Amino acid sequence: MKYSIFKALNDKEIEEVLPYFEEKFIKKGEYIVKEGEYSNKAFLLTKGEVSVIKETIYKDDYIITNIKAGGDEFFGEVNLIDRGLVTSTIVAKTDCEILEITHNDFINLMDEKPTIAIKLLWVIAYDISKHLRKADNDVVTLFNAFVEVVEND
């Protein structure tokens, strides 16, 4: 199966990039990353399903979405680049298999196989830009709803 993160790569390039990823097995209920912690990793979900969770201001967990293997299964790409705080908790909804790549392994990939790394960065940039556009639209929607509530009070 060709995963979305590899959509710009041919089969030979996929074979060349896979050694930079580490295969891990995650049991149902285990955390992959937790909101508010630092991470330098991105993940490719190859089997199973995970939940993306945000904590509300009341400290309740809110499931934003679920990600199934075979769909839009690459996540953590922002942390792969900036090594910053995780913005959502990712927990295994089922037993899962993932491929994990660290920031340092990605830097090594860029040094050793720059053409492949550029293709992966292009896919990552495209995916991040889609998320940013959606977030922009969500902010406008929330702002309009806020204005409507304030004006009607």
Side-chain angles (χ1 to χ4, degrees):
M1 166 173 273
K2 195 164 189 179
Y3 298 100
S4 64
I5 188 60
F6 299 144
K7 64 185 166 193
L9 305 180
N10 62 40
D11 291 342
K12 182 180 180 295
E13 291 169 324
I14 293 170
E15 280 182 36
E16 290 180 47
V17 79
L18 284 176
Y20 293 87
F21 288 80
E22 181 182 349
E23 186 175 30
K24 293 196 169 186
F25 301 93
I26 310 295
K27 295 212 177 290
K28 178 181 177 179
E30 281 185 34
Y31 292 95
I32 297 172
V33 291
K34 289 186 180 181
E35 182 177 358
E37 294 182 352
Y38 284 94
S39 177
N40 67 343
K41 301 171 185 174
F43 309 92
L44 175 61
L45 182 65
T46 58
K47 285 189 181 172
E49 184 175 2
V50 298
S51 293
V52 180
I53 301 169
K54 292 287 290 179
E55 187 177 279
T56 69
I57 60 172
Y58 304 108
K59 302 293 184 197
D60 295 323
D61 287 342
Y62 177 77
I63 296 175
I64 300 293
T65 191
N66 293 308
I67 301 171
K68 292 182 181 180
D72 190 14
E73 65 284 312
F74 190 70
F75 53 92
E77 61 273 28
V78 172
N79 293 102
L80 179 66
I81 305 300
D82 75 1
R83 298 171 289 170
L85 291 173
V86 174
T87 58
S88 299
T89 294
I90 308 291
V91 66
K93 191 172 178 181
T94 65
D95 288 346
C96 297
E97 292 179 22
I98 60 172
L99 295 177
E100 175 185 287
I101 187 166
T102 66
H103 176 84
N104 289 342
D105 287 334
F106 196 77
I107 296 297
N108 289 338
L109 174 66
M110 289 192 298
D111 289 341
E112 297 165 9
K113 301 186 183 303
T115 302
I116 294 172
I118 287 170
K119 290 179 181 183
L120 289 176
L121 281 171
W122 184 260
V123 172
I124 290 170
Y126 179 79
D127 288 347
I128 290 173
S129 67
K130 283 192 324 188
H131 294 305
L132 183 58
R133 287 187 190 278
K134 183 184 179 315
D136 285 346
N137 289 332
D138 291 348
V139 167
V140 169
T141 299
L142 289 170
F143 179 77
N144 288 338
F146 175 74
V147 168
E148 188 174 313
V149 167
V150 169
E151 288 179 351
N152 289 329
D153 268 353

